[in-house]
Each structure stands twice: as C-alpha cells, then as structure tokens.
Amino acid sequence: MLVAFSVAPSGAGDSDSVSAAVAEAVRIVRESGLPHETNAMFTTIEGEWEEVMDVVRRATDAVSARAPRTSLVLKADIRPGHTDQLRKKVERVEQRLESDA
C-alpha cells in the first residue's frame, strides 16, 4: 500500500513552530525504515496496512503534541500483492513519456 499524507499543526503560531512540528513527523517516517519520499506537499510511505498506518499515527501524534489542533490529509493506494510501487509507478509514466517522444 502507498499512503500519501500531510500533517500540520494549526493554531501553533509562527512558521518556525510549524516547520519544527513537520520536521518531527518526517523524522518519524524516516526512522520507520519503510520506503518513503517527501516533497513540498506530502510524504508518501509504502508498506503493509498496519505498519504504514502506525507510522502515520505516530507522526500525527508528534505534531499534535506541539499544537492545539492538527490537520491530517491522507490518500491511499491499496493494491495487495504489489510492492516497490513508490518507484515502479513513476517508472511506468517515464517509460510512457519516452515511448511517446
């Protein structure tokens, strides 16, 4: 399964405290050992349902500890029997772009 999620504090004050809370969430994802990537809008993580959702929960808890309110946006691609989709999905698009050129 792939899960793209964004977690951010609300009502925390200045942008320094927002970035500190988000950094703590990203640290939890990185320390999980699961395949992941982070961009300006989301962090995508790959693994089995229980392990991915545990990481999302812990990342959300870390942000919630720093603010009175937390926003969580989550999108999941649940495809049993498929692994390494974090990389392979992008590769398929790139191959299509190369063949159409």
Side-chain angles (χ1 to χ4, degrees), residues 78-96:
I78 303 163
R79 196 171 181 200
H82 290 79
T83 59
D84 199 25
Q85 293 302 298
L86 191 62
R87 183 181 57 80
K88 288 180 179 177
K89 288 178 84 166
V90 175
E91 284 179 359
R92 287 191 295 272
V93 171
E94 292 295 338
Q95 288 171 351
R96 179 66 58 126

Side-chain angles (χ1 to χ4, degrees), residues 28-77:
I28 289 167
V29 171
R30 290 180 179 178
E31 290 175 353
S32 76
L34 295 174
H36 64 276
E37 62 180 35
T38 299
N39 61 46
M41 296 289 293
F42 288 93
T43 293
T44 304
I45 187 169
E46 183 170 13
E48 296 299 319
W49 180 278
E50 293 81 12
E51 60 190 1
V52 169
M53 295 309 284
D54 177 63
V55 173
V56 171
R57 181 191 53 78
R58 290 188 292 118
T60 302
D61 287 348
V63 171
S64 295
R66 295 174 170 260
R69 190 173 189 179
T70 304
S71 170
L72 173 65
V73 177
L74 186 141
K75 182 176 180 178
D77 181 0

